[in-house]
Coordinates of all heavy atoms in Angstrom, one line a residue:
I26 N 145.1 -45.0 -35.1 CA 143.8 -44.4 -34.8 C 143.4 -44.8 -33.4 O 142.9 -43.9 -32.7 CB 142.8 -45.0 -35.8 CG1 143.0 -44.5 -37.2 CG2 141.3 -44.7 -35.4 CD1 142.1 -45.1 -38.2
E27 N 143.7 -46.0 -32.9 CA 143.4 -46.3 -31.5 C 144.1 -45.4 -30.5 O 143.6 -45.2 -29.4 CB 143.7 -47.8 -31.2 CG 142.7 -48.7 -31.8 CD 143.1 -50.2 -31.4 OE1 144.3 -50.5 -31.4 OE2 142.2 -51.0 -31.2
A28 N 145.2 -44.9 -30.9 CA 146.0 -44.0 -30.0 C 145.3 -42.6 -29.8 O 145.7 -41.8 -28.9 CB 147.4 -43.9 -30.4
C29 N 144.4 -42.3 -30.7 CA 143.8 -40.9 -30.7 C 142.7 -40.8 -29.7 O 142.0 -41.8 -29.4 CB 143.2 -40.7 -32.1 SG 144.5 -40.5 -33.4
M30 N 142.7 -39.7 -29.1 CA 141.7 -39.4 -28.0 C 140.2 -39.7 -28.4 O 139.5 -40.2 -27.6 CB 141.8 -38.0 -27.5 CG 141.0 -37.6 -26.3 SD 141.2 -35.9 -25.8 CE 140.8 -35.0 -27.2
D31 N 139.9 -39.4 -29.6 CA 138.5 -39.5 -30.1 C 138.2 -40.9 -30.8 O 137.2 -41.0 -31.4 CB 138.1 -38.4 -31.0 CG 137.9 -37.1 -30.3 OD1 137.8 -37.1 -29.0 OD2 137.8 -36.0 -30.9
F32 N 139.1 -41.8 -30.6 CA 138.9 -43.1 -31.2 C 137.5 -43.8 -30.8 O 136.8 -44.3 -31.7 CB 140.0 -44.1 -30.9 CG 139.8 -45.5 -31.5 CD1 139.8 -45.7 -32.8 CD2 139.5 -46.6 -30.6 CE1 139.6 -47.0 -33.3 CE2 139.2 -47.8 -31.1 CZ 139.3 -48.0 -32.5
P33 N 137.1 -43.7 -29.5 CA 135.8 -44.3 -29.2 C 134.7 -43.7 -30.0 O 133.7 -44.3 -30.3 CB 135.7 -43.9 -27.7 CG 137.1 -43.8 -27.2 CD 137.8 -43.2 -28.3
I34 N 134.7 -42.4 -30.3 CA 133.7 -41.8 -31.1 C 133.8 -42.3 -32.5 O 132.7 -42.6 -33.1 CB 133.9 -40.2 -31.2 CG1 133.7 -39.6 -29.8 CG2 133.0 -39.6 -32.2 CD1 134.2 -38.2 -29.6
L35 N 134.9 -42.5 -33.1 CA 135.1 -43.0 -34.4 C 134.5 -44.5 -34.4 O 133.9 -44.9 -35.4 CB 136.5 -43.0 -34.9 CG 137.1 -41.6 -35.1 CD1 138.5 -41.8 -35.7 CD2 136.3 -40.7 -36.0
Q36 N 134.8 -45.2 -33.4 CA 134.4 -46.6 -33.3 C 132.8 -46.7 -33.3 O 132.3 -47.6 -33.9 CB 134.9 -47.2 -32.0 CG 135.8 -48.3 -32.1 CD 136.2 -48.9 -30.8 OE1 136.2 -48.2 -29.8 NE2 136.6 -50.1 -30.8
K37 N 132.2 -45.7 -32.8 CA 130.7 -45.7 -32.7 C 130.1 -45.3 -34.1 O 129.0 -45.6 -34.4 CB 130.2 -44.7 -31.6 CG 130.4 -45.2 -30.3 CD 129.9 -44.1 -29.2 CE 130.2 -44.6 -27.8 NZ 129.8 -43.6 -26.8
C38 N 130.9 -44.6 -34.9 CA 130.4 -44.0 -36.1 C 130.8 -44.8 -37.4 O 130.1 -44.7 -38.4 CB 130.9 -42.6 -36.3 SG 130.3 -41.4 -35.0
F39 N 131.8 -45.6 -37.3 CA 132.3 -46.3 -38.5 C 132.5 -47.7 -38.2 O 132.9 -48.2 -37.2 CB 133.6 -45.6 -39.0 CG 133.5 -44.2 -39.3 CD1 134.1 -43.2 -38.5 CD2 132.8 -43.8 -40.4 CE1 134.1 -41.9 -38.9 CE2 132.7 -42.4 -40.8 CZ 133.3 -41.5 -40.0
S40 N 132.3 -48.5 -39.3 CA 132.5 -50.0 -39.2 C 134.0 -50.3 -39.1 O 134.8 -49.5 -39.4 CB 131.9 -50.6 -40.5 OG 132.7 -50.3 -41.6
K41 N 134.3 -51.5 -38.7 CA 135.7 -52.0 -38.7 C 136.3 -51.9 -40.0 O 137.5 -51.5 -40.1 CB 135.7 -53.4 -38.1 CG 137.0 -54.0 -37.9 CD 137.6 -53.4 -36.7 CE 138.9 -54.3 -36.3 NZ 139.6 -53.6 -35.2
R42 N 135.6 -52.1 -41.1 CA 136.1 -52.1 -42.4 C 136.6 -50.6 -42.7 O 137.7 -50.5 -43.3 CB 135.1 -52.5 -43.4 CG 135.5 -52.5 -44.9 CD 134.4 -53.0 -45.8 NE 133.2 -52.2 -45.8 CZ 133.1 -51.0 -46.4 NH1 134.0 -50.5 -47.2 NH2 131.9 -50.3 -46.3
I43 N 135.8 -49.7 -42.4 CA 136.2 -48.3 -42.7 C 137.3 -47.8 -41.8 O 138.3 -47.2 -42.2 CB 135.0 -47.3 -42.5 CG1 133.8 -47.7 -43.5 CG2 135.4 -45.9 -42.5 CD1 134.2 -47.4 -44.9
L44 N 137.3 -48.3 -40.5 CA 138.4 -48.0 -39.6 C 139.7 -48.5 -40.1 O 140.8 -47.9 -40.1 CB 138.1 -48.4 -38.2 CG 137.0 -47.7 -37.5 CD1 136.7 -48.4 -36.1 CD2 137.4 -46.2 -37.2
N45 N 139.6 -49.7 -40.7 CA 140.9 -50.4 -41.3 C 141.3 -49.5 -42.5 O 142.5 -49.4 -42.7 CB 140.6 -51.8 -41.8 CG 140.6 -52.8 -40.6 OD1 141.2 -52.5 -39.5 ND2 139.9 -53.8 -40.7
R46 N 140.4 -49.0 -43.3 CA 140.8 -48.2 -44.4 C 141.5 -46.9 -43.9 O 142.5 -46.5 -44.5 CB 139.6 -47.9 -45.3 CG 139.9 -47.2 -46.5 CD 138.8 -47.1 -47.5 NE 138.2 -45.7 -47.3 CZ 137.1 -45.3 -47.8 NH1 136.3 -46.2 -48.4 NH2 136.7 -44.1 -47.7
F47 N 140.9 -46.3 -42.9 CA 141.5 -45.1 -42.3 C 142.9 -45.4 -41.8 O 143.8 -44.6 -42.1 CB 140.7 -44.6 -41.2 CG 139.3 -44.0 -41.5 CD1 138.4 -43.9 -40.5 CD2 139.1 -43.5 -42.8 CE1 137.1 -43.4 -40.8 CE2 137.8 -43.0 -43.1 CZ 136.8 -42.9 -42.1
E48 N 143.1 -46.5 -41.1 CA 144.4 -46.9 -40.6 C 145.4 -47.1 -41.8 O 146.6 -46.6 -41.7 CB 144.3 -48.2 -39.8 CG 145.6 -48.6 -39.1 CD 146.0 -47.7 -38.0 OE1 145.2 -47.0 -37.4 OE2 147.2 -47.6 -37.7
K49 N 145.0 -47.7 -42.9 CA 145.8 -47.9 -44.0 C 146.3 -46.6 -44.6 O 147.4 -46.3 -44.9 CB 145.1 -48.7 -45.1 CG 145.9 -49.1 -46.2 CD 145.2 -50.0 -47.2 CE 146.0 -50.3 -48.4 NZ 145.3 -51.1 -49.4
Q50 N 145.3 -45.6 -44.7 CA 145.6 -44.3 -45.3 C 146.6 -43.5 -44.3 O 147.5 -42.9 -44.8 CB 144.3 -43.5 -45.5 CG 143.5 -44.0 -46.6 CD 142.1 -43.3 -46.6 OE1 141.6 -42.8 -45.6 NE2 141.5 -43.3 -47.8
L51 N 146.4 -43.6 -43.0 CA 147.3 -43.0 -42.1 C 148.7 -43.6 -42.2 O 149.6 -42.8 -42.1 CB 146.7 -43.1 -40.7 CG 145.8 -42.0 -40.2 CD1 145.4 -42.3 -38.7 CD2 146.4 -40.7 -40.3
N52 N 148.8 -44.9 -42.2 CA 150.1 -45.5 -42.3 C 150.8 -45.1 -43.5 O 152.0 -44.9 -43.5 CB 149.9 -47.0 -42.2 CG 149.7 -47.5 -40.8 OD1 150.1 -46.8 -39.8 ND2 149.0 -48.6 -40.6
Q53 N 150.1 -45.0 -44.7 CA 150.7 -44.6 -45.9 C 151.3 -43.2 -45.7 O 152.4 -42.9 -46.1 CB 149.7 -44.6 -47.0 CG 150.3 -44.2 -48.4 CD 149.2 -44.0 -49.5 OE1 148.0 -44.0 -49.2 NE2 149.6 -44.0 -50.7
Y54 N 150.5 -42.3 -45.1 CA 150.9 -40.9 -44.9 C 152.1 -40.9 -44.0 O 153.1 -40.2 -44.3 CB 149.7 -40.1 -44.4 CG 150.1 -38.8 -43.8 CD1 150.5 -37.7 -44.6 CD2 150.1 -38.6 -42.4 CE1 150.9 -36.5 -44.1 CE2 150.4 -37.3 -41.9 CZ 150.8 -36.3 -42.7 OH 151.2 -35.1 -42.2
L55 N 152.0 -41.6 -42.9 CA 153.1 -41.5 -41.9 C 154.4 -42.1 -42.4 O 155.4 -41.8 -41.9 CB 152.6 -42.2 -40.6 CG 151.5 -41.4 -39.9 CD1 150.9 -42.3 -38.7 CD2 151.9 -40.1 -39.4
N56 N 154.3 -43.1 -43.3 CA 155.5 -43.7 -43.8 C 156.1 -43.1 -45.0 O 157.1 -43.5 -45.5 CB 155.2 -45.2 -44.1 CG 154.9 -46.0 -42.8 OD1 155.5 -45.8 -41.8 ND2 154.0 -46.9 -42.9
M57 N 155.5 -42.0 -45.4 CA 156.0 -41.3 -46.6 C 157.3 -40.6 -46.2 O 157.4 -39.9 -45.1 CB 155.0 -40.2 -47.1 CG 153.8 -40.8 -47.7 SD 152.6 -39.5 -48.2 CE 153.3 -39.1 -49.8
S58 N 158.3 -40.7 -47.0 CA 159.6 -40.0 -46.7 C 159.4 -38.5 -47.0 O 160.1 -37.7 -46.5 CB 160.7 -40.6 -47.4 OG 160.5 -40.6 -48.9
E59 N 158.6 -38.2 -48.0 CA 158.3 -36.9 -48.4 C 156.9 -36.7 -48.9 O 156.5 -37.6 -49.7 CB 159.3 -36.5 -49.6 CG 159.2 -35.1 -50.1 CD 160.2 -34.8 -51.2 OE1 161.2 -35.4 -51.3 OE2 159.8 -33.9 -52.0
V60 N 156.2 -35.7 -48.5 CA 154.9 -35.5 -49.0 C 155.0 -34.7 -50.3 O 155.5 -33.6 -50.3 CB 154.1 -34.6 -47.9 CG1 152.7 -34.3 -48.4 CG2 154.0 -35.4 -46.6
T61 N 154.5 -35.3 -51.3 CA 154.6 -34.8 -52.7 C 153.4 -33.8 -53.0 O 152.4 -33.8 -52.4 CB 154.6 -35.9 -53.7 OG1 153.4 -36.5 -53.7 CG2 155.8 -36.9 -53.4
E62 N 153.6 -33.0 -54.0 CA 152.6 -32.1 -54.4 C 151.4 -32.9 -54.9 O 150.3 -32.5 -54.7 CB 153.2 -31.2 -55.6 CG 152.3 -30.1 -56.0 CD 152.1 -29.0 -54.9 OE1 153.1 -28.8 -54.2 OE2 151.0 -28.5 -54.8

């Protein structure tokens, strides 16, 4: 998330707890070997 251009906007809008949740969801997605139905 920090690597994204709009991260400063997200930082202003969401708590650290929510940003951590987003990061966890992104990591899960990015680490999937195959996106299932």
